[in-house]
Short mmCIF file of all heavy atoms in Angstrom, two decimals:
data_model
loop_
_atom_site.label_atom_id
_atom_site.label_comp_id
_atom_site.label_asym_id
_atom_site.label_seq_id
_atom_site.Cartn_x
_atom_site.Cartn_y
_atom_site.Cartn_z
N MET J 145 -41.38 1.24 -42.60
CA MET J 145 -40.19 1.33 -41.83
C MET J 145 -40.45 1.34 -40.24
O MET J 145 -39.79 0.76 -39.45
CB MET J 145 -39.47 2.66 -42.26
CG MET J 145 -38.14 2.86 -41.53
SD MET J 145 -36.88 1.55 -42.09
CE MET J 145 -35.54 1.92 -41.10
N ALA J 146 -41.53 2.14 -40.02
CA ALA J 146 -41.78 2.26 -38.48
C ALA J 146 -42.23 1.00 -37.97
O ALA J 146 -41.99 0.60 -36.87
CB ALA J 146 -42.90 3.33 -38.30
N LEU J 147 -42.98 0.20 -38.74
CA LEU J 147 -43.54 -1.18 -38.23
C LEU J 147 -42.40 -2.04 -38.08
O LEU J 147 -42.38 -2.78 -37.04
CB LEU J 147 -44.51 -1.70 -39.23
CG LEU J 147 -45.06 -3.04 -38.96
CD1 LEU J 147 -45.89 -2.97 -37.70
CD2 LEU J 147 -45.75 -3.64 -40.05
N CYS J 148 -41.37 -2.04 -38.74
CA CYS J 148 -40.14 -2.85 -38.59
C CYS J 148 -39.50 -2.40 -37.27
O CYS J 148 -39.01 -3.33 -36.55
CB CYS J 148 -39.25 -2.68 -39.84
SG CYS J 148 -39.83 -3.30 -41.38
N LEU J 149 -39.43 -1.11 -37.00
CA LEU J 149 -38.71 -0.74 -35.79
C LEU J 149 -39.54 -1.08 -34.58
O LEU J 149 -39.03 -1.55 -33.55
CB LEU J 149 -38.62 0.77 -35.82
CG LEU J 149 -37.47 1.29 -36.82
CD1 LEU J 149 -37.46 2.85 -36.74
CD2 LEU J 149 -36.14 0.78 -36.50
N ILE J 150 -40.76 -1.12 -34.69
CA ILE J 150 -41.69 -1.51 -33.50
C ILE J 150 -41.56 -3.00 -33.33
O ILE J 150 -41.45 -3.45 -32.13
CB ILE J 150 -43.10 -0.99 -33.72
CG1 ILE J 150 -43.29 0.50 -33.76
CG2 ILE J 150 -44.10 -1.72 -32.80
CD1 ILE J 150 -44.50 0.96 -34.26
N LEU J 151 -41.51 -3.65 -34.36
CA LEU J 151 -41.47 -5.28 -34.11
C LEU J 151 -40.01 -5.62 -33.69
O LEU J 151 -39.86 -6.45 -32.86
CB LEU J 151 -41.69 -5.87 -35.55
CG LEU J 151 -43.03 -5.93 -36.09
CD1 LEU J 151 -43.13 -6.53 -37.52
CD2 LEU J 151 -43.96 -6.88 -35.22
N MET J 152 -39.00 -4.92 -34.07
CA MET J 152 -37.66 -5.14 -33.66
C MET J 152 -37.47 -4.84 -32.16
O MET J 152 -37.02 -5.52 -31.38
CB MET J 152 -36.61 -4.34 -34.41
CG MET J 152 -35.21 -4.57 -34.01
SD MET J 152 -34.01 -3.56 -34.78
CE MET J 152 -34.40 -1.93 -34.17
N THR J 153 -38.02 -3.69 -31.69
CA THR J 153 -38.03 -3.38 -30.17
C THR J 153 -38.80 -4.34 -29.35
O THR J 153 -38.50 -4.61 -28.28
CB THR J 153 -38.50 -1.90 -29.99
OG1 THR J 153 -39.80 -1.80 -30.45
CG2 THR J 153 -37.46 -0.93 -30.54
N GLY J 154 -39.88 -4.78 -29.94
CA GLY J 154 -40.84 -5.77 -29.25
C GLY J 154 -39.94 -7.21 -28.98
O GLY J 154 -40.02 -7.63 -27.91
N ARG J 155 -39.38 -7.51 -30.06
CA ARG J 155 -38.60 -8.77 -29.96
C ARG J 155 -37.35 -8.59 -29.14
O ARG J 155 -37.00 -9.46 -28.34
CB ARG J 155 -38.17 -9.16 -31.30
CG ARG J 155 -39.26 -9.66 -32.20
CD ARG J 155 -38.90 -10.07 -33.60
NE ARG J 155 -39.95 -10.51 -34.50
CZ ARG J 155 -40.21 -10.31 -35.64
NH1 ARG J 155 -39.28 -9.67 -36.41
NH2 ARG J 155 -41.24 -10.76 -36.31
N LEU J 156 -36.74 -7.49 -29.12
CA LEU J 156 -35.58 -7.18 -28.24
C LEU J 156 -36.03 -7.15 -26.90
O LEU J 156 -35.32 -7.69 -25.95
CB LEU J 156 -34.92 -5.86 -28.59
CG LEU J 156 -33.63 -5.39 -27.97
CD1 LEU J 156 -32.51 -6.37 -28.10
CD2 LEU J 156 -33.27 -3.99 -28.21
N GLY J 157 -37.10 -6.58 -26.63
CA GLY J 157 -37.63 -6.49 -25.12
C GLY J 157 -38.00 -7.84 -24.72
O GLY J 157 -37.75 -8.14 -23.46
N ALA J 158 -38.55 -8.66 -25.48
CA ALA J 158 -38.81 -10.08 -25.06
C ALA J 158 -37.60 -10.83 -24.78
O ALA J 158 -37.48 -11.63 -23.66
CB ALA J 158 -39.70 -10.82 -26.17
N MET J 159 -36.52 -10.68 -25.64
CA MET J 159 -35.31 -11.37 -25.32
C MET J 159 -34.61 -10.86 -24.13
O MET J 159 -34.11 -11.72 -23.35
CB MET J 159 -34.45 -11.18 -26.54
CG MET J 159 -33.09 -11.91 -26.60
SD MET J 159 -32.06 -11.68 -28.06
CE MET J 159 -31.70 -9.96 -27.87
N VAL J 160 -34.50 -9.51 -23.88
CA VAL J 160 -33.88 -9.02 -22.75
C VAL J 160 -34.73 -9.41 -21.49
O VAL J 160 -34.03 -9.77 -20.49
CB VAL J 160 -33.72 -7.58 -22.88
CG1 VAL J 160 -33.34 -6.88 -21.55
CG2 VAL J 160 -32.79 -7.24 -23.92
N GLY J 161 -35.99 -9.37 -21.58
CA GLY J 161 -36.80 -9.72 -20.35
C GLY J 161 -36.65 -11.15 -19.96
O GLY J 161 -36.55 -11.39 -18.83
N SER J 162 -36.62 -12.01 -20.88
CA SER J 162 -36.38 -13.42 -20.60
C SER J 162 -35.09 -13.72 -19.98
O SER J 162 -34.85 -14.59 -18.98
CB SER J 162 -36.65 -14.37 -21.81
OG SER J 162 -35.72 -14.10 -22.80
N ASN J 163 -34.10 -12.93 -20.51
CA ASN J 163 -32.67 -13.15 -19.92
C ASN J 163 -32.68 -12.58 -18.59
O ASN J 163 -32.01 -13.16 -17.65
CB ASN J 163 -31.66 -12.57 -20.90
CG ASN J 163 -31.39 -13.36 -21.99
OD1 ASN J 163 -31.50 -14.64 -22.08
ND2 ASN J 163 -31.01 -12.70 -23.21
N VAL J 164 -33.29 -11.58 -18.21
CA VAL J 164 -33.30 -10.94 -16.91
C VAL J 164 -33.95 -11.85 -15.86
O VAL J 164 -33.55 -12.02 -14.76
CB VAL J 164 -33.97 -9.55 -17.00
CG1 VAL J 164 -34.30 -8.99 -15.55
CG2 VAL J 164 -33.13 -8.52 -17.72
N VAL J 165 -35.23 -12.46 -16.41
CA VAL J 165 -35.74 -13.35 -15.58
C VAL J 165 -34.96 -14.58 -15.14
O VAL J 165 -34.87 -15.05 -14.16
CB VAL J 165 -37.15 -13.67 -16.07
CG1 VAL J 165 -37.84 -14.97 -15.31
CG2 VAL J 165 -38.09 -12.60 -16.05
N ALA J 166 -34.23 -15.11 -16.16
CA ALA J 166 -33.34 -16.20 -16.08
C ALA J 166 -32.23 -15.96 -15.16
O ALA J 166 -31.93 -16.73 -14.21
CB ALA J 166 -32.86 -16.70 -17.46
N PHE J 167 -31.59 -14.73 -15.31
CA PHE J 167 -30.59 -14.26 -14.38
C PHE J 167 -31.05 -14.23 -12.85
O PHE J 167 -30.39 -14.57 -11.92
CB PHE J 167 -29.91 -12.91 -14.82
CG PHE J 167 -28.94 -12.41 -13.86
CD1 PHE J 167 -27.67 -12.92 -13.78
CD2 PHE J 167 -29.29 -11.29 -13.01
CE1 PHE J 167 -26.71 -12.35 -12.96
CE2 PHE J 167 -28.37 -10.80 -12.25
CZ PHE J 167 -27.09 -11.39 -12.10
N LEU J 168 -32.19 -13.57 -12.79
CA LEU J 168 -32.66 -13.46 -11.38
C LEU J 168 -33.13 -14.78 -10.81
O LEU J 168 -32.88 -14.91 -9.61
CB LEU J 168 -33.95 -12.49 -11.42
CG LEU J 168 -33.66 -11.01 -11.61
CD1 LEU J 168 -34.85 -10.20 -11.71
CD2 LEU J 168 -32.68 -10.44 -10.43
N LEU J 169 -33.60 -15.64 -11.49
CA LEU J 169 -33.79 -16.97 -11.03
C LEU J 169 -32.64 -17.71 -10.60
O LEU J 169 -32.64 -18.49 -9.51
CB LEU J 169 -34.57 -17.79 -12.08
CG LEU J 169 -36.10 -17.60 -12.22
CD1 LEU J 169 -36.73 -18.42 -13.33
CD2 LEU J 169 -36.88 -17.95 -10.87
N THR J 170 -31.50 -17.43 -11.27
CA THR J 170 -30.26 -18.12 -10.96
C THR J 170 -29.66 -17.28 -9.69
O THR J 170 -29.18 -18.03 -8.83
CB THR J 170 -29.30 -17.98 -12.04
OG1 THR J 170 -29.87 -18.59 -13.27
CG2 THR J 170 -27.94 -18.68 -11.78
N TYR J 171 -29.81 -16.06 -9.72
CA TYR J 171 -29.10 -15.31 -8.75
C TYR J 171 -29.71 -15.32 -7.47
O TYR J 171 -29.22 -15.57 -6.30
CB TYR J 171 -28.92 -13.81 -9.24
CG TYR J 171 -28.23 -12.91 -8.23
CD1 TYR J 171 -26.91 -13.06 -7.80
CD2 TYR J 171 -28.90 -11.88 -7.58
CE1 TYR J 171 -26.42 -12.12 -6.85
CE2 TYR J 171 -28.39 -10.95 -6.66
CZ TYR J 171 -27.08 -11.31 -6.31
OH TYR J 171 -26.59 -10.39 -5.43
N ASN J 172 -31.13 -14.96 -7.39
CA ASN J 172 -31.97 -14.95 -6.24
C ASN J 172 -33.37 -15.24 -6.64
O ASN J 172 -34.17 -14.46 -7.12
CB ASN J 172 -31.82 -13.52 -5.72
CG ASN J 172 -32.53 -13.38 -4.33
OD1 ASN J 172 -33.00 -14.37 -3.76
ND2 ASN J 172 -32.37 -12.21 -3.69
N CYS J 173 -33.70 -16.56 -6.35
CA CYS J 173 -34.98 -17.05 -6.89
C CYS J 173 -36.15 -16.34 -6.15
O CYS J 173 -37.19 -16.07 -6.78
CB CYS J 173 -35.01 -18.53 -6.48
SG CYS J 173 -36.54 -19.28 -7.17
N ASP J 174 -36.01 -15.98 -4.91
CA ASP J 174 -37.13 -15.32 -4.10
C ASP J 174 -37.38 -13.96 -4.72
O ASP J 174 -38.59 -13.61 -4.77
CB ASP J 174 -36.81 -15.15 -2.67
CG ASP J 174 -36.73 -16.55 -1.95
OD1 ASP J 174 -37.30 -17.58 -2.60
OD2 ASP J 174 -36.18 -16.67 -0.82
N LEU J 175 -36.41 -13.29 -5.17
CA LEU J 175 -36.48 -11.99 -5.57
C LEU J 175 -37.48 -11.83 -6.78
O LEU J 175 -38.37 -10.99 -6.82
CB LEU J 175 -35.12 -11.25 -5.96
CG LEU J 175 -35.14 -9.92 -6.42
CD1 LEU J 175 -35.67 -8.87 -5.38
CD2 LEU J 175 -33.74 -9.42 -6.94
N ILE J 176 -37.34 -12.71 -7.72
CA ILE J 176 -38.14 -12.69 -8.94
C ILE J 176 -39.55 -12.82 -8.59
O ILE J 176 -40.50 -12.24 -9.14
CB ILE J 176 -37.60 -13.60 -10.05
CG1 ILE J 176 -38.42 -13.31 -11.40
CG2 ILE J 176 -37.81 -15.02 -9.70
CD1 ILE J 176 -38.07 -12.16 -12.02
N PHE J 177 -39.85 -13.68 -7.72
CA PHE J 177 -41.30 -14.00 -7.27
C PHE J 177 -41.84 -12.80 -6.46
O PHE J 177 -43.00 -12.44 -6.72
CB PHE J 177 -41.46 -15.22 -6.47
CG PHE J 177 -41.21 -16.45 -7.29
CD1 PHE J 177 -40.09 -17.24 -7.12
CD2 PHE J 177 -42.14 -16.86 -8.32
CE1 PHE J 177 -39.87 -18.43 -7.91
CE2 PHE J 177 -41.92 -18.00 -9.04
CZ PHE J 177 -40.82 -18.75 -8.80
N VAL J 178 -41.11 -12.05 -5.74
CA VAL J 178 -41.50 -11.09 -5.00
C VAL J 178 -41.81 -9.79 -6.03
O VAL J 178 -42.80 -9.05 -5.94
CB VAL J 178 -40.50 -10.52 -3.92
CG1 VAL J 178 -40.70 -9.12 -3.41
CG2 VAL J 178 -40.47 -11.53 -2.80
N LEU J 179 -40.94 -9.67 -6.94
CA LEU J 179 -41.02 -8.56 -7.97
C LEU J 179 -42.33 -8.86 -8.84
O LEU J 179 -43.14 -7.86 -9.07
CB LEU J 179 -39.85 -8.49 -8.91
CG LEU J 179 -38.56 -7.85 -8.17
CD1 LEU J 179 -37.41 -7.91 -9.18
CD2 LEU J 179 -38.77 -6.46 -7.74
N LEU J 180 -42.51 -10.04 -9.26
CA LEU J 180 -43.60 -10.29 -10.14
C LEU J 180 -44.97 -10.15 -9.37
O LEU J 180 -46.01 -9.76 -9.83
CB LEU J 180 -43.49 -11.65 -10.84
CG LEU J 180 -42.38 -11.74 -11.96
CD1 LEU J 180 -42.29 -13.20 -12.45
CD2 LEU J 180 -42.70 -10.84 -12.98
N GLY J 181 -44.83 -10.70 -8.08
CA GLY J 181 -46.10 -10.47 -7.22
C GLY J 181 -46.40 -9.13 -6.84
O GLY J 181 -47.54 -8.73 -6.90
N GLY J 182 -45.39 -8.27 -6.69
CA GLY J 182 -45.61 -6.78 -6.45
C GLY J 182 -46.21 -6.24 -7.63
O GLY J 182 -47.06 -5.31 -7.68
N LEU J 183 -45.63 -6.57 -8.93
CA LEU J 183 -46.14 -6.05 -10.08
C LEU J 183 -47.67 -6.40 -10.33
O LEU J 183 -48.49 -5.61 -10.79
CB LEU J 183 -45.36 -6.54 -11.29
CG LEU J 183 -45.81 -6.07 -12.64
CD1 LEU J 183 -45.54 -4.64 -12.83
CD2 LEU J 183 -44.92 -6.85 -13.70
N LEU J 184 -48.12 -7.66 -9.97
CA LEU J 184 -49.41 -7.99 -10.03
C LEU J 184 -50.24 -7.14 -9.09
O LEU J 184 -51.41 -6.77 -9.50
CB LEU J 184 -49.48 -9.62 -9.78
CG LEU J 184 -50.87 -10.10 -9.71
CD1 LEU J 184 -51.44 -10.12 -11.10
CD2 LEU J 184 -50.86 -11.50 -9.10
N LEU J 185 -49.84 -6.98 -7.94
CA LEU J 185 -50.67 -6.12 -6.95
C LEU J 185 -50.82 -4.67 -7.50
O LEU J 185 -51.86 -4.12 -7.39
CB LEU J 185 -49.91 -6.05 -5.63
CG LEU J 185 -50.01 -7.42 -4.86
CD1 LEU J 185 -49.26 -7.38 -3.55
CD2 LEU J 185 -51.40 -7.88 -4.60
N VAL J 186 -49.70 -4.13 -8.03
CA VAL J 186 -49.77 -2.84 -8.55
C VAL J 186 -50.69 -2.76 -9.83
O VAL J 186 -51.62 -1.77 -9.74
CB VAL J 186 -48.36 -2.37 -8.98
CG1 VAL J 186 -48.50 -0.97 -9.82
CG2 VAL J 186 -47.42 -2.12 -7.86
N CYS J 187 -50.72 -3.71 -10.53
CA CYS J 187 -51.67 -3.74 -11.73
C CYS J 187 -53.18 -3.84 -11.14
O CYS J 187 -54.05 -3.26 -11.78
CB CYS J 187 -51.39 -4.88 -12.63
SG CYS J 187 -49.81 -4.54 -13.63
N ALA J 188 -53.26 -4.60 -10.13
CA ALA J 188 -54.66 -4.80 -9.56
C ALA J 188 -55.23 -3.52 -8.93
O ALA J 188 -56.30 -3.10 -9.17
CB ALA J 188 -54.67 -5.96 -8.46
N VAL J 189 -54.27 -2.81 -8.22
CA VAL J 189 -54.73 -1.51 -7.75
C VAL J 189 -54.89 -0.50 -8.82
O VAL J 189 -55.97 0.30 -8.77
CB VAL J 189 -53.56 -0.92 -6.77
CG1 VAL J 189 -53.86 0.45 -6.40
CG2 VAL J 189 -53.49 -1.89 -5.54
N ILE J 190 -54.14 -0.44 -9.75
CA ILE J 190 -54.42 0.61 -10.93
C ILE J 190 -55.75 0.15 -11.57
O ILE J 190 -56.55 0.93 -11.98
CB ILE J 190 -53.34 0.39 -11.92
CG1 ILE J 190 -52.02 1.16 -11.29
CG2 ILE J 190 -53.60 1.20 -13.27
CD1 ILE J 190 -50.83 1.04 -12.15
N GLY J 191 -56.02 -1.21 -11.79
CA GLY J 191 -57.22 -1.52 -12.40
C GLY J 191 -58.61 -1.29 -11.61
O GLY J 191 -59.51 -1.02 -12.15
N THR J 192 -58.39 -1.26 -10.28
CA THR J 192 -59.62 -0.93 -9.51
C THR J 192 -59.84 0.55 -9.49
O THR J 192 -60.91 0.99 -9.19
CB THR J 192 -59.42 -1.39 -8.03
OG1 THR J 192 -58.20 -0.83 -7.46
CG2 THR J 192 -59.42 -2.95 -8.00
N THR J 193 -58.77 1.35 -9.86
CA THR J 193 -59.02 2.80 -9.84
C THR J 193 -59.53 3.32 -11.21
O THR J 193 -59.67 4.54 -11.31
CB THR J 193 -57.74 3.61 -9.47
OG1 THR J 193 -56.78 3.24 -10.35
CG2 THR J 193 -57.29 3.10 -8.00
N LEU J 194 -59.69 2.62 -12.27
CA LEU J 194 -60.08 2.93 -13.50
C LEU J 194 -61.55 3.35 -13.42
O LEU J 194 -62.38 2.85 -12.67
CB LEU J 194 -59.97 1.89 -14.54
CG LEU J 194 -58.57 1.48 -14.88
CD1 LEU J 194 -58.54 0.30 -15.82
CD2 LEU J 194 -57.76 2.70 -15.60
N PRO J 195 -61.89 4.44 -14.13
CA PRO J 195 -63.26 4.84 -14.06
C PRO J 195 -64.25 3.95 -14.78
O PRO J 195 -63.82 3.15 -15.68
CB PRO J 195 -63.31 6.21 -14.85
CG PRO J 195 -61.98 6.11 -15.81
CD PRO J 195 -61.09 5.25 -14.98
N GLY J 196 -65.45 3.79 -14.37
CA GLY J 196 -66.50 3.04 -14.91
C GLY J 196 -66.90 3.55 -16.31
O GLY J 196 -66.50 4.54 -16.72
N LYS J 197 -68.00 2.92 -16.80
CA LYS J 197 -68.54 3.38 -17.93
C LYS J 197 -69.28 4.53 -17.81
O LYS J 197 -69.64 5.54 -17.89
CB LYS J 197 -69.53 2.28 -18.53
CG LYS J 197 -68.81 1.13 -19.04
CD LYS J 197 -69.84 0.09 -19.58
CE LYS J 197 -69.27 -1.10 -20.12
NZ LYS J 197 -70.11 -2.05 -20.63
#
């Protein structure tokens, strides 16, 4: 039962995420690229602060 709920939320998140990206591309094309670029930079900073082996 728990596996079914996890799969359902993953599919729901993918559906909602793609609709949000499509809406932002229609509404304000520059905003989606700025948000995704900012997310990439945040992930890069977090990745560089991870401890080594």
Side-chain angles (χ1 to χ4, degrees):
M145 182 68 180
L147 181 63
C148 293
L149 290 174
I150 291 171
L151 289 173
M152 182 183 68
T153 56
R155 290 177 180 146
L156 182 65
M159 185 177 64
V160 169
S162 64
N163 284 330
V164 167
V165 169
F167 173 75
L168 286 176
L169 279 173
T170 303
Y171 177 69
N172 190 355
C173 188
D174 292 340
L175 179 63
I176 189 68
F177 289 110
V178 169
L179 287 176
L180 289 177
L183 179 63
L184 179 66
L185 290 175
V186 167
C187 289
V189 168
I190 290 172
T192 58
T193 60
L194 291 174
K197 291 184 179 180

